[in-house]
């Protein structure tokens, strides 16, 4: 069958779910502002507290920590900053390697570079799209040795210090097995949970695994603060350090400026925190809607000859941030033609990211030799419109 008729079929199934009368273009993931957004944002303007101080930041930190089942949250300007601040604060820097899936959004790898460290690219598991624990274990047993208590990459001489699992589309990676692997090799775990707010693993919150977890509230995420992020942790001392470093490392004082180390201006502004508080209030409704939308897509793609609706096992309480379909034949060229056809019909769909090892700045990064599953996934998976309001 030719590309055109395959994507005609896909278009028909998408339209069956979202309704033909849905205003075009239908974006991949648009914000849904259905609560106290106007009220809270207006309040910050009325009170003249829109910037780096104000009550919504503290409130949001408390609310999101509670919602995620962790002891502490530190609100920051975006998810990339959340990852960078985590790495920096945990002492991961020059000459250190951080294990990260090649199949991720570029910010995961960029944050590692921002910290002065080196991304070490690993293979994904087609069941979860997150990193494959067994393949990684094999890889580490072959390419590393222990030297003075450090896990040394025999090929580069660098220390492999940390691991950054990514929960792709909100699907929890095998976080308990990743945690066990990290303990076996003495690695610090920093979760890139930027897509996973509202997800659970085996019925429970998983943000407490490892040192910390980063969230993002960018405009296309499940909730948005315009731009924003947060770092979640159960470690009291780490939370304190993170707050300090993300707020210019200033010692609290009524008027004196004394900074005890090089810090960052990563604080979430109060006007964004106001939006974030209003959005977080609606999470139960968003999760309900997104579960409905996912069910509808699953039904609509039953009997689709040229691919499947991407589903996960039931242990993974997925937030269904982005719905995806996987085409039977990996073929980037016809996928791009198909996506153009969908765009011409007012449907924004998009391919998975170009894997990190295919980007110019990461093409020479240390990596697992075989990244063929990552490549196959990147050439066969597309995301389809997933905004919460499409469930109506
Ligand atoms: C969104 C996202 C980020 C970065 O978040 P920003 O808020 O855009 O900086 C990092 N990693 C992944 C996997 C993401 O999807």
């Amino acid at each position: 069958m030719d590309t055109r008729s395959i994507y005609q079929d896909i278009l028909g199934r998408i339209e069956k779910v979202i309704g033909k009368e849905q205003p075009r273009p239908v974006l991949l993931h648009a914000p849904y502002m259905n609560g106290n957004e106007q009220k809270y944002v207006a309040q910050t303007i009325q009170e003249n507290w829109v910037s780096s101080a104000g009550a919504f930041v503290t409130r949001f930190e408390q609310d999101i920590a509670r919602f995620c089942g962790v002891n502490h949250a530190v609100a920051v300007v975006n998810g990339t900053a959340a990852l960078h601040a985590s790495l920096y604060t945990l002492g991961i820097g020059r000459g250190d390697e951080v294990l990260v899936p090649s199949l991720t959004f570029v910010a995961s790898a960029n944050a590692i570079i921002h910290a002065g460290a080196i991304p070490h690219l690993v293979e994904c598991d087609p069941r979860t799209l997150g990193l494959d624990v067994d393949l990684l274990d094999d890889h580490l047993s072959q390419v590393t040795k222990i030297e003075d208590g450090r896990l040394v990459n025999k090929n580069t001489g660098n220390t492999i210090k940390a691991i950054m699992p990514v929960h792709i589309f909100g699907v929890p990676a095998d976080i308990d097995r990743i945690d066990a692997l990290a303990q076996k090799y003495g690695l610090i775990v920093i979760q890139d949970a930027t897509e996973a707010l509202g997800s659970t693993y085996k019925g429970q919150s998983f943000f407490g695994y490892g040192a910390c977890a980063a969230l993002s509230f960018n405009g296309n995420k499940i909730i948005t603060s315009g731009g924003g992020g947060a770092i979640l942790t159960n470690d009291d001392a780490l939370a304190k350090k993170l707050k300090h470093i993300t707020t210019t490392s200033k010692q609290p004082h009524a008027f004196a400026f004394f900074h005890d180390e090089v810090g960052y201006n990563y604080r979430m502004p109060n006007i964004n925190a106001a939006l974030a508080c209003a959005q977080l209030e609606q999470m139960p409704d968003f999760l309900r809607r997104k579960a409905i939308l996912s069910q509808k897509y699953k039904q609509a793609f039953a009997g689709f000859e040229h691919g499947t609706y991407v589903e996960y096992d039931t242990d993974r309480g997925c937030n269904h941030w982005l719905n995806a379909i996987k085409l039977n034949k990996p073929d980037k060229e016809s996928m791009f033609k198909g996506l153009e056809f969908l765009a011409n019909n007012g449907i924004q769909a998009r391919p998975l990211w170009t894997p990190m090892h295919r980007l110019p700045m990461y093409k020479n990064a240390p990596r697992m030799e075989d990244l063929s599953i990552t490549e196959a996934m990147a050439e066969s998976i597309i995301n389809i419109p997933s905004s919460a309001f499409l469930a109506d």
Side-chain angles (χ1 to χ4, degrees):
M1 212 183 210
D2 63 307
T3 303
R4 176 66 184 255
S5 32
I6 294 175
Y7 281 81
Q8 186 76 56
D9 186 349
I10 292 174
L11 176 65
R13 290 170 197 266
I14 293 174
E15 280 178 336
K16 210 173 130 197
V17 171
I18 65 174
K20 264 194 180 326
E21 63 294 343
Q22 187 67 229
R24 310 291 164 109
V26 181
L27 300 178
L28 187 71
H29 201 290
Y32 188 33
M33 308 271 184
N34 201 32
N36 287 317
E37 286 87 353
Q38 300 235 15
K39 184 178 155 198
Y40 293 172
V41 170
Q43 195 181 325
T44 68
I45 296 167
Q46 278 148 17
E47 291 170 356
N48 211 14
W49 284 110
V50 294
S51 188
S52 56
F56 280 111
V57 177
T58 311
R59 173 172 157 191
F60 180 61
E61 288 178 337
Q62 287 165 356
D63 290 354
I64 193 109
R66 196 179 318 113
F67 182 82
C68 293
V70 296
N71 293 338
H72 307 281
V74 175
V76 293
V77 285
N78 57 50
T80 313
L83 290 168
H84 173 231
S86 301
L87 291 156
Y88 178 82
T89 307
L90 288 160
I92 296 152
R94 187 154 303 172
D96 296 329
E97 289 181 14
V98 180
L99 302 164
V100 64
S102 187
L103 193 70
T104 185
F105 177 58
V106 71
S108 321
N110 284 351
I112 295 166
I113 295 288
H114 296 164
I118 302 153
H120 182 133
L121 306 173
V122 308
E123 181 64 304
C124 81
D125 179 341
R127 287 180 311 119
T128 64
L129 302 179
L131 62 86
D132 187 308
V133 182
D134 294 324
L135 292 178
L136 180 56
D137 195 359
D138 283 350
H139 173 68
L140 290 176
S141 68
Q142 281 165 28
V143 306
T144 63
K145 60 178 177 189
I146 303 289
E147 211 174 81
D148 308 325
R150 299 178 307 127
L151 183 69
V152 174
N153 180 340
K154 288 190 280 191
N155 299 323
T156 61
N158 297 323
T159 306
I160 302 179
K161 226 178 195 174
I163 182 167
M164 185 186 287
V166 186
H167 309 294
I168 309 284
F169 309 153
V171 186
D174 288 325
I175 191 66
D176 51 355
R177 297 186 60 225
I178 292 168
D179 195 53
L181 183 84
Q183 286 182 26
K184 174 176 166 186
Y185 289 100
L187 299 165
I188 300 168
V189 182
I190 295 159
Q191 298 188 49
D192 181 339
T194 49
E195 303 183 355
L197 177 64
S199 296
T200 54
Y201 185 65
K202 297 182 179 166
Q204 293 191 335
S205 160
F206 56 87
F207 301 111
Y209 276 105
C212 58
L215 297 177
S216 165
F217 315 113
N218 188 35
N220 63 348
K221 296 297 204 285
I222 191 161
I223 67 167
T224 187
S225 57
I231 309 156
L232 307 173
T233 183
N234 280 329
D235 181 332
D236 300 348
L238 179 61
K240 221 171 147 187
K241 242 171 131 178
L242 284 165
K243 187 71 191 175
H244 189 62
I245 278 170
T246 55
T247 56
T248 69
S249 303
K250 183 179 181 295
Q251 286 189 355
H253 191 280
F255 49 80
F257 286 88
F258 187 83
H259 308 263
D260 52 21
E261 63 184 303
V262 177
Y264 290 85
N265 179 16
Y266 277 173
R267 183 201 294 269
M268 178 187 279
N270 199 47
I271 191 168
N272 297 85
L275 198 51
C277 285
Q279 286 264 289
L280 185 60
E281 288 172 350
Q282 296 162 81
M283 263 306 274
D285 183 49
F286 290 177
L287 286 171
R288 183 186 63 79
R289 286 167 170 278
K290 292 178 81 69
I292 292 170
L293 187 61
S294 155
Q295 277 306 312
K296 285 188 176 178
Y297 272 130
K298 185 182 157 184
Q299 280 159 19
F301 278 93
F304 176 51
E305 265 180 87
H306 305 282
T308 44
Y309 176 76
V310 179
E311 267 196 287
Y312 313 97
D313 62 68
T314 49
D315 275 351
R316 290 166 223 276
C318 185
N319 64 4
H320 300 290
W321 173 52
L322 284 186
N323 293 282
I325 51 178
K326 184 169 174 294
L327 294 144
N328 291 340
K329 263 196 256 129
D331 177 355
K332 188 170 158 188
E333 207 181 310
S334 75
M335 176 195 280
F336 276 41
K337 271 194 209 138
L339 293 174
E340 216 175 283
F341 169 80
L342 291 177
N344 291 338
N345 284 278
I347 300 293
Q348 189 186 39
R350 63 166 206 204
L352 254 177
W353 313 282
T354 302
M356 295 306 102
H357 66 281
R358 292 286 179 200
L359 299 179
M361 59 286 197
Y362 298 123
K363 70 175 196 290
N364 296 321
R367 52 176 272 193
M368 283 169 63
E369 222 165 284
D370 186 358
L371 295 171
S372 53
I373 300 168
T374 293
E375 301 212 336
M377 294 298 131
E379 292 183 5
S380 53
I381 290 179
I382 64 169
N383 290 120
I384 52 180
S386 300
S387 307
F389 54 81
L390 294 175
D392 285 337

